[in-house]
Amino acid sequence: MVCTGNICRSPLAEVVLQAGLDEASPGAFAVSSAGTYAHVGKQAQRGSRDIAAGLGTSLRDFRARQISENGVADADLVLALARTHRPDILAASPSALKRTFTLREFARILQRMPLMSYRGSSWTQVVAAADRNRHSASVDAPELDDVTDPYGQGVEAYELMTRELLPSLSTIIEAAVAIRRR
């Protein structure tokens, strides 16, 4: 998960996705996050911490990290929280092009894929198939790929961010469950 400061969107997405994947398939996935201009070492913003707690997870021990070449290169899937993060991700590791999506874009692709035909496949195979199916999820309003950045804003912005994040995270968790079933 990649956002700008790594203190609002991506930490929340990280812990919620990790919790959901752990529940569905314990130990099968490792989710992490970083920022393109991270507030390195800072804790997640209170709004994100409160939302995480309300969802039954925690950002108490979270500390912001800067995106790194190794972090991107080692990831099977890189999910940006906004289209503007893609250039920084690819600058860190150009080889990540075919496995870098926005969170919402990737979820839309998964919704259009015949996931039953990927049962027992590796997640790497599913990500490669998602890359081949990018065209199926294009939208007329590209801003629909972005998750609102609530940094420096009030509760309403955090609520909007959450409404934009959770459906996509749920789609990814449901896909992981469907694919892992044999």
Side-chain angles (χ1 to χ4, degrees):
M1 296 291 172
V2 178
C3 73
T4 306
N6 193 220
I7 55 174
C8 299
R9 295 172 286 181
S10 61
L12 181 62
E14 173 189 337
V15 298
V16 171
L17 184 58
Q18 186 69 65
L21 292 172
D22 283 348
E23 188 174 312
S25 191
F29 297 91
V31 181
S32 64
S33 66
T36 57
Y37 295 96
H39 296 258
V40 176
K42 301 289 184 188
Q43 65 181 13
Q45 292 287 287
R46 175 169 298 286
S48 291
R49 291 193 320 260
D50 291 347
I51 292 164
L55 295 170
T57 189
S58 175
L59 283 166
R60 178 181 41 246
D61 298 326
F62 178 85
R63 295 295 176 263
R65 299 171 290 268
Q66 178 66 29
I67 192 172
S68 70
E69 179 181 353
N70 288 342
V72 174
D74 292 344
D76 292 330
L77 172 63
V78 182
L79 296 173
L81 278 291
R83 291 167 290 129
T84 57
H85 300 126
R86 230 179 268 204
D88 291 313
I89 293 166
L90 298 177
S93 181
S95 66
L97 177 64
K98 292 185 176 201
R99 49 194 168 79
T100 300
F101 305 81
T102 68
L103 172 68
R104 295 173 86 186
E105 170 192 31
F106 187 70
R108 280 195 313 275
I109 294 168
L110 289 177
Q111 289 173 332
R112 289 171 171 81
M113 287 175 57
L115 292 176
M116 299 300 250
S117 65
Y118 291 96
R119 278 196 175 167
S121 297
S122 72
W123 194 244
T124 304
Q125 291 170 311
V126 173
V127 171
D131 177 55
R132 290 190 301 273
N133 287 288
R134 275 184 203 264
H135 65 281
S136 73
S138 61
V139 290
D140 291 333
E143 64 274 5
L144 294 176
D145 283 340
D146 298 343
V147 173
T148 298
D149 185 356
Y151 183 70
Q153 299 182 54
V155 172
E156 297 82 16
Y158 281 90
E159 291 171 352
L160 176 59
M161 172 195 69
T162 304
R163 287 192 307 272
E164 293 171 351
L165 274 176
L166 292 182
S168 295
L169 296 173
S170 293
T171 296
I172 294 168
I173 293 164
E174 290 166 10
V177 169
I179 292 161
R180 296 285 297 176
R181 288 191 183 127
R182 298 183 191 265

